[in-house]
Amino acid sequence: MAEAAEREAKASSLRPTSVVDGVYDGIYHRLMSLDIAPGARIRIDVLARELGVSQTPIREALSRLEREGLVRKEHLIGYSAAPQWTRKQFEDLYAFRLLVEPEAARLAVINMTPEALAELETSAADMGHGDPPVDRNTRYSRFARADAQFHDAILKIAGNEIIRSTLSNQHVHLHIFRLMFHTRVTQEALEEHENLLAAFRSGEPQAAYDAMRIHVERSRDRLLSAFE
Amino acid sequence: MAEAAEREAKASSLRPTSVVDGVYDGIYHRLMSLDIAPGARIRIDVLARELGVSQTPIREALSRLEREGLVRKEHLIGYSAAPQWTRKQFEDLYAFRLLVEPEAARLAVINMTPEALAELETSAADMGHGDPPVDRNTRYSRFARADAQFHDAILKIAGNEIIRSTLSNQHVHLHIFRLMFHTRVTQEALEEHENLLAAFRSGEPQAAYDAMRIHVERSRDRLLSAFE
DNA sequence: AAATACAATATCGTATAGGATCCGATATAG
DNA sequence: CTATATCGGATCCTATACGATATTGTATTT
């Protein structure tokens, strides 16, 4: 039984990690992988049985996800996965990104250190390692995750934690992934990331600003086809 | 007493509002009014007794508040109110506001309608009605709430819901209120709001942009004294 | 006298049970 | 044949109980 194994692990390794975190990650992964489709209902007891835990941590994890906009809750009806992005939501988010991310890139150049640049290079390099023969789902998923990590690394260097957490809470990469799922993944982003890195190496704030603006704009235009 | 009225309403009108929402508002109000001081521990069972409900809704409300950054949670230790803003957090947030809010004001002018402008005028007028002889706490609280509503109205007109929810989640007015509590409240903001309205009436996007930039900058400079 | 070890208490985290509400199916009336 | 009302099942929401862990106070030892 799952509970036995769970209890066994907890007793042996005595790690102080909470069950809620694990549940959160599990649901997040199911949303990301479209195992839970956009708009689909999420039944608490079903999840509790499948994950082998009680309903309380499920409820708490869903509450966090609701606050992040990934699931919706209707009182006395239940939870459901957030619907697919509308075109307006998409455009609003990209307008927001264009407002914030180029400036963050500019700040990142100003605060750049050799170590930070090196870390950024490795982060970008991780996206190149395709490991192609995996299935399509995990391949896209890995791409989205690496892209998110790259952008987050830039924001971390920029130093403004408010901006960083704000963008992190938007879960851009998850929504993009849900849009991209039935489309073909493009490798153009890799090239644009390379342009970004070049700007960071040059140490010119305005160059980074422009490179990021172009990158976000092109990302927007690429994904816009999903709404036709 | 508020709790009695709460229970009365629940028993008589049997409205389908959830207990969690009421608990959330209650805790929020206690944080706002400094009844729960920054950094103070928040004991679940104490709250459950005081609010007359079980621990489960308390837990869920605290989970939402944690996601909004208003309370912190340490595993196997408990919840506590978020500490007072550090100077860095303050500066980061105002840098973010300066990045976003002037642009939002510009957008608001572009999308402005006569009805929206009228609504904005009344919202601004609400801040003038001092009703002075109330105690200091509720007076500041009302000021902060009206200010938040005014800014939110502008963002609503601007039309970008991502930006709106993002700023709303920062709970700027609550944190400002916690800073202002031991300071004197200034009426300069009213004058700046009037300048903003003038810009909105003029219909010139750039004027609104500049007015909002000046307003946010001055707000920052006024509050900066709290860190000395 | 100070520091460490141990024990007791308090609090958190999780699980389970019961009450209330909503959704869907069936039967009946028009 | 359609529409409405009623009944049953399922699900959510709340409450309570139990086990695990951290904190605190006391006693003992150096």
Side-chain angles (χ1 to χ4, degrees), chain A residues 102-121:
Chain A
E103 177 67 15
R106 205 178 64 81
L107 290 173
V109 168
I110 295 174
N111 297 358
M112 187 66 71
T113 64
E115 305 85 53
L117 184 59
E119 194 173 338
L120 212 53
E121 305 251 14

Side-chain angles (χ1 to χ4, degrees), chain A residues 27-162:
Chain A
I27 300 174
Y28 191 94
H29 187 73
R30 291 191 183 203
L31 290 170
M32 182 92 174
S33 67
L34 294 186
D35 182 27
I36 301 176
R41 290 199 50 182
I42 300 176
R43 270 173 273 271
I44 292 180
D45 60 338
V46 172
L47 267 178
R49 273 198 299 275
E50 290 184 1
L51 296 177
V53 298
S54 172
Q55 293 188 7
T56 309
I58 306 278
R59 187 174 295 277
E60 197 155 339
L62 284 173
S63 177
R64 297 220 311 241
L65 288 165
E66 184 205 5
R67 198 70 207 84
E68 298 176 10
L70 269 49
V71 304
R72 298 202 174 282
K73 168 182 164 185
E74 289 175 285
H75 185 50
L76 295 180
I77 291 181
Y79 286 94
S80 59
Q84 189 81 277
W85 266 350
T86 65
R87 177 151 186 166
K88 173 166 181 4
Q89 285 179 300
F90 176 81
E91 289 173 349
D92 281 359
L93 180 75
Y94 267 81
F96 177 64
R97 289 188 69 183
L98 282 172
L99 210 54
V100 170
E101 292 209 48
E103 177 67 15
R106 205 178 64 81
L107 290 173
V109 168
I110 295 174
N111 297 358
M112 187 66 71
T113 64
E115 305 85 53
L117 184 59
E119 194 173 338
L120 212 53
E121 305 251 14
T122 60
S123 176
D126 286 346
M127 297 189 67
H129 305 153
D131 292 358
V134 290
D135 66 281
R136 205 174 74 169
N137 189 326
T138 58
R139 180 171 154 223
Y140 287 6
S141 172
R142 187 178 306 174
F143 182 87
R145 189 180 305 263
D147 185 58
Q149 190 180 339
F150 180 71
H151 281 261
D152 189 65
I154 295 172
L155 292 170
K156 212 180 295 181
I157 297 168
N160 190 320
E161 286 297 321
I162 300 287

Side-chain angles (χ1 to χ4, degrees), chain B residues 28-46:
Chain B
Y28 191 94
H29 187 74
R30 292 193 181 201
L31 289 170
M32 181 93 174
S33 68
L34 294 186
D35 183 26
I36 301 176
R41 289 198 52 180
I42 299 176
R43 272 173 272 272
I44 291 179
D45 60 338
V46 172

Side-chain angles (χ1 to χ4, degrees), chain B residues 7-194:
Chain B
R7 189 161 302 177
E8 183 78 16
K10 192 173 69 177
S12 63
S13 71
L14 53 91
R15 56 182 177 184
T17 181
S18 74
V19 176
V20 174
D21 293 342
V23 171
Y24 177 90
D25 291 341
I27 300 174
Y28 191 94
H29 187 74
R30 292 193 181 201
L31 289 170
M32 181 93 174
S33 68
L34 294 186
D35 183 26
I36 301 176
R41 289 198 52 180
I42 299 176
R43 272 173 272 272
I44 291 179
D45 60 338
V46 172
L47 267 178
R49 272 196 299 273
E50 290 184 2
L51 296 178
V53 298
S54 172
Q55 292 187 8
T56 308
I58 304 278
R59 193 174 291 277
E60 194 156 341
L62 284 173
S63 177
R64 297 221 310 242
L65 288 165
E66 184 206 6
R67 197 69 207 87
E68 298 176 12
L70 269 48
V71 304
R72 297 203 175 283
K73 168 182 164 186
E74 289 175 285
H75 185 52
L76 295 180
I77 291 180
Y79 286 95
S80 59
Q84 190 80 276
W85 266 349
T86 65
R87 177 152 188 164
K88 174 166 182 357
Q89 284 178 302
F90 176 81
E91 290 174 348
D92 281 0
L93 181 76
Y94 267 82
F96 177 63
R97 289 188 70 184
L98 281 172
L99 210 53
V100 170
E101 293 209 47
E103 176 66 15
R106 205 178 64 80
L107 289 174
V109 167
I110 296 175
N111 296 358
M112 187 67 70
T113 64
E115 305 85 54
L117 183 59
E119 195 174 337
L120 212 54
E121 304 250 16
T122 60
S123 176
D126 286 346
M127 297 189 67
H129 306 152
D131 292 359
V134 292
D135 67 280
R136 205 174 74 170
N137 189 326
T138 58
R139 181 172 153 222
Y140 286 6
S141 174
R142 187 178 306 174
F143 182 86
R145 190 181 303 265
D147 186 58
Q149 190 181 338
F150 180 70
H151 282 262
D152 189 64
I154 295 173
L155 292 169
K156 213 180 295 181
I157 297 168
N160 189 318
E161 286 298 320
I162 300 288
I163 292 177
R164 189 164 91 92
S165 67
T166 287
L167 274 170
S168 168
N169 283 340
Q170 294 297 328
H171 297 282
V172 175
H173 58 297
L174 183 143
H175 288 286
I176 287 180
F177 176 71
R178 301 211 302 188
L179 278 177
M180 284 204 313
F181 188 71
H182 294 298
T183 317
R184 68 176 192 283
V185 66
T186 169
Q187 300 296 330
E188 300 172 25
L190 293 178
E191 184 180 333
E192 291 160 25
H193 281 190
E194 195 52 48

